[in-house]
Amino acid sequence: MMSQDELKRAVAKAAIEYVPVDCIVGVGTGSTANFFIDELAKIKHKIRGAVASSEASAKRLLGHGIEVFSLNDAGSLPVYVDGADEITRHLHMIKGGGGALTREKIVAAASKKFICVCDASKLVDVLGRFPLPVEVIPMARSSVARQLVALGGQPILRQGFTTDNGNIIIDVHGLNIMNPVELEATLDHIAGVVTNGLFARRGADVLLLGTPEGVKTMTV
Ligand code: 5RP
């Protein structure tokens, strides 16, 4: 039986196939993205460098001697590789378990292809069992929380956590997300919300799913 880490390593290796020679690659955040960074290190002489979606990933990339570019200097990227907290067969995702959702959404938006790397436990029929992370400007905490309650969720402040952008995260429990594209837009329109963890309007293009039978490739 393969461990979860072995499944993550297998999908991270598979994602390397999607990295064009001589490119700047968009890099996500989290334990699966970390495996990808470690695989990227093995081909670092074949790429120009990376754009990181968090300070943590930037640090790991630099630790491997991979050059880290700011997105403003890199321009449009051919590919973005990142994990997810939940993903559906439509390749809609919940992200932000690690709190990096805003930079992840920005780098993903600037990338032509989003390759999602997950172990099989992340594939779900309906999003929402994993609490939906929402990055919020601190002064809007209470007013945003009230509006999240009005939408049927139970907002819980992520204690002792500040994002790379200096904001807070509210994790919204109890949502059964039947229409992620619509909910993503609704949440984005709440004043004080910076980003929400639904990646549906721009979902993944390819899912590399680590299963005990091998890496499955899924597209929409
Ligand atoms: C971080 C994220 C991660 O992609 C998500 O939390 C998955 O992490 P892991 O690969 O450790 O399960 O969105 O903000």
Side-chain angles (χ1 to χ4, degrees), residues 18 22 24 32 35 49 55 68 71 79 83 87 110 114 118 126 128 133 135 145-146 167 174 187 195-196 201 210:
Y18 291 83
D22 230 19
I24 299 178
T32 320
F35 281 114
E55 302 294 345
V68 175
L71 183 61
V79 68
I87 186 162
F114 187 135
C118 289
V126 179
E135 180 164 350
R146 284 194 293 276
N167 297 314
L187 293 172
T195 315
N196 72 85
R201 212 172 343 160

PDB file of all heavy atoms in Angstrom, residues 18 22 24 32 35 49 55 68 71 79 83 87 110 114 118 126 128 133 135 145-146 167 174 187 195-196 201 210:
ATOM      1  N   TYR A  18       4.963  18.309 -17.767  1.00  0.00           N
ATOM      2  CA  TYR A  18       4.214  19.457 -18.298  1.00  0.00           C
ATOM      3  C   TYR A  18       5.027  20.750 -18.286  1.00  0.00           C
ATOM      4  O   TYR A  18       4.538  21.801 -18.689  1.00  0.00           O
ATOM      5  CB  TYR A  18       2.921  19.664 -17.493  1.00  0.00           C
ATOM      6  CG  TYR A  18       1.918  18.558 -17.723  1.00  0.00           C
ATOM      7  CD1 TYR A  18       1.999  17.356 -17.032  1.00  0.00           C
ATOM      8  CD2 TYR A  18       0.894  18.704 -18.659  1.00  0.00           C
ATOM      9  CE1 TYR A  18       1.090  16.332 -17.248  1.00  0.00           C
ATOM     10  CE2 TYR A  18      -0.021  17.684 -18.888  1.00  0.00           C
ATOM     11  CZ  TYR A  18       0.086  16.505 -18.176  1.00  0.00           C
ATOM     12  OH  TYR A  18      -0.816  15.499 -18.406  1.00  0.00           O
ATOM     13  N   ASP A  22      13.205  25.667 -20.669  1.00  0.00           N
ATOM     14  CA  ASP A  22      13.562  27.083 -20.720  1.00  0.00           C
ATOM     15  C   ASP A  22      12.471  28.033 -20.235  1.00  0.00           C
ATOM     16  O   ASP A  22      12.469  29.212 -20.592  1.00  0.00           O
ATOM     17  CB  ASP A  22      13.908  27.451 -22.180  1.00  0.00           C
ATOM     18  CG  ASP A  22      15.237  28.188 -22.220  1.00  0.00           C
ATOM     19  OD1 ASP A  22      15.990  28.073 -21.233  1.00  0.00           O
ATOM     20  OD2 ASP A  22      15.486  28.885 -23.224  1.00  0.00           O
ATOM     21  N   ILE A  24       9.704  29.831 -17.283  1.00  0.00           N
ATOM     22  CA  ILE A  24       9.509  30.188 -15.877  1.00  0.00           C
ATOM     23  C   ILE A  24       8.203  29.518 -15.472  1.00  0.00           C
ATOM     24  O   ILE A  24       7.169  29.713 -16.110  1.00  0.00           O
ATOM     25  CB  ILE A  24       9.430  31.718 -15.693  1.00  0.00           C
ATOM     26  CG1 ILE A  24      10.735  32.372 -16.150  1.00  0.00           C
ATOM     27  CG2 ILE A  24       9.129  32.060 -14.248  1.00  0.00           C
ATOM     28  CD1 ILE A  24      10.731  33.897 -16.056  1.00  0.00           C
ATOM     29  N   THR A  32       2.072  18.926  -1.285  1.00  0.00           N
ATOM     30  CA  THR A  32       2.205  18.324  -2.616  1.00  0.00           C
ATOM     31  C   THR A  32       3.052  19.229  -3.509  1.00  0.00           C
ATOM     32  O   THR A  32       3.918  18.756  -4.254  1.00  0.00           O
ATOM     33  CB  THR A  32       0.819  18.071  -3.247  1.00  0.00           C
ATOM     34  OG1 THR A  32      -0.075  17.586  -2.240  1.00  0.00           O
ATOM     35  CG2 THR A  32       0.906  17.063  -4.376  1.00  0.00           C
ATOM     36  N   PHE A  35       6.659  18.654  -2.858  1.00  0.00           N
ATOM     37  CA  PHE A  35       7.235  17.522  -3.601  1.00  0.00           C
ATOM     38  C   PHE A  35       7.557  17.942  -5.036  1.00  0.00           C
ATOM     39  O   PHE A  35       8.569  17.542  -5.599  1.00  0.00           O
ATOM     40  CB  PHE A  35       6.266  16.330  -3.612  1.00  0.00           C
ATOM     41  CG  PHE A  35       6.270  15.532  -2.335  1.00  0.00           C
ATOM     42  CD1 PHE A  35       5.161  15.490  -1.516  1.00  0.00           C
ATOM     43  CD2 PHE A  35       7.402  14.811  -1.954  1.00  0.00           C
ATOM     44  CE1 PHE A  35       5.160  14.746  -0.337  1.00  0.00           C
ATOM     45  CE2 PHE A  35       7.420  14.063  -0.784  1.00  0.00           C
ATOM     46  CZ  PHE A  35       6.291  14.036   0.035  1.00  0.00           C
ATOM     47  N   GLY A  49      13.489  29.478 -14.221  1.00  0.00           N
ATOM     48  CA  GLY A  49      13.203  29.736 -12.818  1.00  0.00           C
ATOM     49  C   GLY A  49      11.734  29.560 -12.534  1.00  0.00           C
ATOM     50  O   GLY A  49      11.031  28.873 -13.287  1.00  0.00           O
ATOM     51  N   GLU A  55       5.545  32.901   0.304  1.00  0.00           N
ATOM     52  CA  GLU A  55       6.905  33.091   0.824  1.00  0.00           C
ATOM     53  C   GLU A  55       7.527  31.727   1.120  1.00  0.00           C
ATOM     54  O   GLU A  55       8.729  31.515   0.895  1.00  0.00           O
ATOM     55  CB  GLU A  55       6.883  33.935   2.105  1.00  0.00           C
ATOM     56  CG  GLU A  55       6.247  35.327   1.968  1.00  0.00           C
ATOM     57  CD  GLU A  55       7.026  36.270   1.064  1.00  0.00           C
ATOM     58  OE1 GLU A  55       8.198  35.968   0.756  1.00  0.00           O
ATOM     59  OE2 GLU A  55       6.463  37.304   0.650  1.00  0.00           O
ATOM     60  N   VAL A  68      13.943  32.678  -8.299  1.00  0.00           N
ATOM     61  CA  VAL A  68      12.543  33.054  -8.095  1.00  0.00           C
ATOM     62  C   VAL A  68      12.310  34.446  -8.668  1.00  0.00           C
ATOM     63  O   VAL A  68      13.005  35.400  -8.298  1.00  0.00           O
ATOM     64  CB  VAL A  68      12.181  33.018  -6.589  1.00  0.00           C
ATOM     65  CG1 VAL A  68      10.760  33.526  -6.372  1.00  0.00           C
ATOM     66  CG2 VAL A  68      12.328  31.595  -6.046  1.00  0.00           C
ATOM     67  N   LEU A  71       6.144  38.011 -10.235  1.00  0.00           N
ATOM     68  CA  LEU A  71       5.220  37.812 -11.349  1.00  0.00           C
ATOM     69  C   LEU A  71       5.300  38.991 -12.323  1.00  0.00           C
ATOM     70  O   LEU A  71       5.190  38.814 -13.534  1.00  0.00           O
ATOM     71  CB  LEU A  71       3.789  37.633 -10.824  1.00  0.00           C
ATOM     72  CG  LEU A  71       2.719  37.349 -11.878  1.00  0.00           C
ATOM     73  CD1 LEU A  71       3.011  36.055 -12.631  1.00  0.00           C
ATOM     74  CD2 LEU A  71       1.344  37.288 -11.239  1.00  0.00           C
ATOM     75  N   VAL A  79       2.780  27.434 -17.440  1.00  0.00           N
ATOM     76  CA  VAL A  79       2.174  26.401 -16.608  1.00  0.00           C
ATOM     77  C   VAL A  79       2.269  26.756 -15.124  1.00  0.00           C
ATOM     78  O   VAL A  79       3.230  27.378 -14.676  1.00  0.00           O
ATOM     79  CB  VAL A  79       2.856  25.036 -16.937  1.00  0.00           C
ATOM     80  CG1 VAL A  79       4.293  25.003 -16.495  1.00  0.00           C
ATOM     81  CG2 VAL A  79       2.102  23.874 -16.342  1.00  0.00           C
ATOM     82  N   GLY A  83      -1.370  21.997  -5.655  1.00  0.00           N
ATOM     83  CA  GLY A  83      -2.282  21.028  -5.069  1.00  0.00           C
ATOM     84  C   GLY A  83      -3.664  21.622  -4.876  1.00  0.00           C
ATOM     85  O   GLY A  83      -3.963  22.713  -5.379  1.00  0.00           O
ATOM     86  N   ILE A  87     -11.143  18.603  -4.976  1.00  0.00           N
ATOM     87  CA  ILE A  87     -11.323  18.828  -6.412  1.00  0.00           C
ATOM     88  C   ILE A  87     -12.425  17.903  -6.931  1.00  0.00           C
ATOM     89  O   ILE A  87     -12.549  16.766  -6.460  1.00  0.00           O
ATOM     90  CB  ILE A  87      -9.992  18.651  -7.190  1.00  0.00           C
ATOM     91  CG1 ILE A  87     -10.158  19.027  -8.665  1.00  0.00           C
ATOM     92  CG2 ILE A  87      -9.400  17.241  -7.024  1.00  0.00           C
ATOM     93  CD1 ILE A  87      -8.854  19.306  -9.405  1.00  0.00           C
ATOM     94  N   ALA A 110      -2.427  34.052 -14.196  1.00  0.00           N
ATOM     95  CA  ALA A 110      -1.410  34.523 -15.142  1.00  0.00           C
ATOM     96  C   ALA A 110      -0.789  33.374 -15.928  1.00  0.00           C
ATOM     97  O   ALA A 110       0.149  33.584 -16.696  1.00  0.00           O
ATOM     98  CB  ALA A 110      -0.325  35.279 -14.371  1.00  0.00           C
ATOM     99  N   PHE A 114      -3.212  25.190 -15.834  1.00  0.00           N
ATOM    100  CA  PHE A 114      -3.174  24.866 -14.403  1.00  0.00           C
ATOM    101  C   PHE A 114      -3.141  23.342 -14.271  1.00  0.00           C
ATOM    102  O   PHE A 114      -4.090  22.662 -14.650  1.00  0.00           O
ATOM    103  CB  PHE A 114      -4.416  25.434 -13.716  1.00  0.00           C
ATOM    104  CG  PHE A 114      -4.434  25.330 -12.206  1.00  0.00           C
ATOM    105  CD1 PHE A 114      -4.832  26.419 -11.442  1.00  0.00           C
ATOM    106  CD2 PHE A 114      -4.055  24.170 -11.547  1.00  0.00           C
ATOM    107  CE1 PHE A 114      -4.870  26.339 -10.050  1.00  0.00           C
ATOM    108  CE2 PHE A 114      -4.074  24.086 -10.165  1.00  0.00           C
ATOM    109  CZ  PHE A 114      -4.498  25.160  -9.417  1.00  0.00           C
ATOM    110  N   CYS A 118      -2.711  15.984  -6.909  1.00  0.00           N
ATOM    111  CA  CYS A 118      -3.391  15.576  -5.675  1.00  0.00           C
ATOM    112  C   CYS A 118      -3.280  14.082  -5.458  1.00  0.00           C
ATOM    113  O   CYS A 118      -3.231  13.320  -6.415  1.00  0.00           O
ATOM    114  CB  CYS A 118      -4.901  15.816  -5.797  1.00  0.00           C
ATOM    115  SG  CYS A 118      -5.405  17.502  -5.780  1.00  0.00           S
ATOM    116  N   VAL A 126     -18.970  16.604  -4.413  1.00  0.00           N
ATOM    117  CA  VAL A 126     -19.461  17.961  -4.156  1.00  0.00           C
ATOM    118  C   VAL A 126     -18.475  18.657  -3.226  1.00  0.00           C
ATOM    119  O   VAL A 126     -18.041  18.071  -2.226  1.00  0.00           O
ATOM    120  CB  VAL A 126     -20.862  17.928  -3.475  1.00  0.00           C
ATOM    121  CG1 VAL A 126     -21.361  19.338  -3.199  1.00  0.00           C
ATOM    122  CG2 VAL A 126     -21.864  17.167  -4.338  1.00  0.00           C
ATOM    123  N   GLY A 128     -17.118  21.268  -0.369  1.00  0.00           N
ATOM    124  CA  GLY A 128     -17.649  21.937   0.813  1.00  0.00           C
ATOM    125  C   GLY A 128     -17.430  21.208   2.130  1.00  0.00           C
ATOM    126  O   GLY A 128     -17.612  21.806   3.188  1.00  0.00           O
ATOM    127  N   PRO A 133     -11.773  28.421   2.724  1.00  0.00           N
ATOM    128  CA  PRO A 133     -10.990  29.560   3.216  1.00  0.00           C
ATOM    129  C   PRO A 133     -11.351  30.859   2.465  1.00  0.00           C
ATOM    130  O   PRO A 133     -11.499  30.841   1.241  1.00  0.00           O
ATOM    131  CB  PRO A 133      -9.540  29.161   2.900  1.00  0.00           C
ATOM    132  CG  PRO A 133      -9.585  27.687   2.601  1.00  0.00           C
ATOM    133  CD  PRO A 133     -10.933  27.457   1.984  1.00  0.00           C
ATOM    134  N   GLU A 135      -9.956  34.892   2.378  1.00  0.00           N
ATOM    135  CA  GLU A 135      -9.004  35.896   2.895  1.00  0.00           C
ATOM    136  C   GLU A 135      -9.734  37.232   2.992  1.00  0.00           C
ATOM    137  O   GLU A 135     -10.394  37.666   2.040  1.00  0.00           O
ATOM    138  CB  GLU A 135      -7.785  36.017   1.969  1.00  0.00           C
ATOM    139  CG  GLU A 135      -6.789  37.056   2.498  1.00  0.00           C
ATOM    140  CD  GLU A 135      -5.398  36.966   1.873  1.00  0.00           C
ATOM    141  OE1 GLU A 135      -5.105  35.998   1.153  1.00  0.00           O
ATOM    142  OE2 GLU A 135      -4.618  37.913   2.138  1.00  0.00           O
ATOM    143  N   ALA A 145     -18.125  38.131   8.208  1.00  0.00           N
ATOM    144  CA  ALA A 145     -18.627  36.923   8.887  1.00  0.00           C
ATOM    145  C   ALA A 145     -20.150  36.912   8.889  1.00  0.00           C
ATOM    146  O   ALA A 145     -20.772  35.874   8.639  1.00  0.00           O
ATOM    147  CB  ALA A 145     -18.077  36.862  10.312  1.00  0.00           C
ATOM    148  N   ARG A 146     -20.784  38.058   9.143  1.00  0.00           N
ATOM    149  CA  ARG A 146     -22.265  38.112   9.151  1.00  0.00           C
ATOM    150  C   ARG A 146     -22.824  37.741   7.780  1.00  0.00           C
ATOM    151  O   ARG A 146     -23.823  37.046   7.668  1.00  0.00           O
ATOM    152  CB  ARG A 146     -22.748  39.501   9.568  1.00  0.00           C
ATOM    153  CG  ARG A 146     -22.626  39.773  11.050  1.00  0.00           C
ATOM    154  CD  ARG A 146     -23.405  41.002  11.482  1.00  0.00           C
ATOM    155  NE  ARG A 146     -22.868  42.259  10.938  1.00  0.00           N
ATOM    156  CZ  ARG A 146     -21.855  42.933  11.493  1.00  0.00           C
ATOM    157  NH1 ARG A 146     -21.261  42.483  12.578  1.00  0.00           N
ATOM    158  NH2 ARG A 146     -21.437  44.071  10.961  1.00  0.00           N
ATOM    159  N   ASN A 167      -3.343  39.793   5.860  1.00  0.00           N
ATOM    160  CA  ASN A 167      -4.782  39.695   6.127  1.00  0.00           C
ATOM    161  C   ASN A 167      -5.110  38.469   6.970  1.00  0.00           C
ATOM    162  O   ASN A 167      -4.228  37.681   7.307  1.00  0.00           O
ATOM    163  CB  ASN A 167      -5.539  39.635   4.800  1.00  0.00           C
ATOM    164  CG  ASN A 167      -5.343  40.897   3.992  1.00  0.00           C
ATOM    165  OD1 ASN A 167      -5.441  42.004   4.533  1.00  0.00           O
ATOM    166  ND2 ASN A 167      -5.026  40.749   2.720  1.00  0.00           N
ATOM    167  N   GLY A 174     -19.662  24.025   6.757  1.00  0.00           N
ATOM    168  CA  GLY A 174     -21.080  23.702   6.560  1.00  0.00           C
ATOM    169  C   GLY A 174     -21.657  24.091   5.223  1.00  0.00           C
ATOM    170  O   GLY A 174     -22.883  24.132   5.072  1.00  0.00           O
ATOM    171  N   LEU A 187     -19.079  35.465  -3.345  1.00  0.00           N
ATOM    172  CA  LEU A 187     -18.157  35.747  -2.233  1.00  0.00           C
ATOM    173  C   LEU A 187     -17.186  36.868  -2.591  1.00  0.00           C
ATOM    174  O   LEU A 187     -16.867  37.720  -1.759  1.00  0.00           O
ATOM    175  CB  LEU A 187     -17.380  34.481  -1.857  1.00  0.00           C
ATOM    176  CG  LEU A 187     -18.228  33.353  -1.254  1.00  0.00           C
ATOM    177  CD1 LEU A 187     -17.394  32.084  -1.103  1.00  0.00           C
ATOM    178  CD2 LEU A 187     -18.807  33.760   0.094  1.00  0.00           C
ATOM    179  N   THR A 195     -10.063  37.387  -1.459  1.00  0.00           N
ATOM    180  CA  THR A 195     -10.152  36.218  -2.349  1.00  0.00           C
ATOM    181  C   THR A 195     -10.872  35.112  -1.604  1.00  0.00           C
ATOM    182  O   THR A 195     -10.744  35.013  -0.380  1.00  0.00           O
ATOM    183  CB  THR A 195      -8.741  35.652  -2.652  1.00  0.00           C
ATOM    184  OG1 THR A 195      -7.863  36.717  -2.946  1.00  0.00           O
ATOM    185  CG2 THR A 195      -8.761  34.682  -3.818  1.00  0.00           C
ATOM    186  N   ASN A 196     -11.591  34.269  -2.329  1.00  0.00           N
ATOM    187  CA  ASN A 196     -12.102  33.063  -1.669  1.00  0.00           C
ATOM    188  C   ASN A 196     -11.462  31.838  -2.315  1.00  0.00           C
ATOM    189  O   ASN A 196     -10.974  31.882  -3.444  1.00  0.00           O
ATOM    190  CB  ASN A 196     -13.633  33.030  -1.695  1.00  0.00           C
ATOM    191  CG  ASN A 196     -14.205  32.744  -3.058  1.00  0.00           C
ATOM    192  OD1 ASN A 196     -14.336  31.585  -3.445  1.00  0.00           O
ATOM    193  ND2 ASN A 196     -14.543  33.786  -3.820  1.00  0.00           N
ATOM    194  N   ARG A 201     -14.260  29.338 -11.545  1.00  0.00           N
ATOM    195  CA  ARG A 201     -14.307  30.125 -12.785  1.00  0.00           C
ATOM    196  C   ARG A 201     -13.070  29.803 -13.625  1.00  0.00           C
ATOM    197  O   ARG A 201     -13.132  29.623 -14.816  1.00  0.00           O
ATOM    198  CB  ARG A 201     -14.299  31.613 -12.423  1.00  0.00           C
ATOM    199  CG  ARG A 201     -15.058  32.498 -13.350  1.00  0.00           C
ATOM    200  CD  ARG A 201     -15.143  33.892 -12.769  1.00  0.00           C
ATOM    201  NE  ARG A 201     -14.838  33.896 -11.327  1.00  0.00           N
ATOM    202  CZ  ARG A 201     -14.475  34.969 -10.642  1.00  0.00           C
ATOM    203  NH1 ARG A 201     -14.368  36.119 -11.252  1.00  0.00           N
ATOM    204  NH2 ARG A 201     -14.224  34.906  -9.359  1.00  0.00           N
ATOM    205  N   GLY A 210      -3.065  10.965  -7.773  1.00  0.00           N
ATOM    206  CA  GLY A 210      -2.263   9.833  -7.310  1.00  0.00           C
ATOM    207  C   GLY A 210      -3.156   8.769  -6.690  1.00  0.00           C
ATOM    208  O   GLY A 210      -3.825   9.021  -5.686  1.00  0.00           O
TER     209      GLY A 210
END
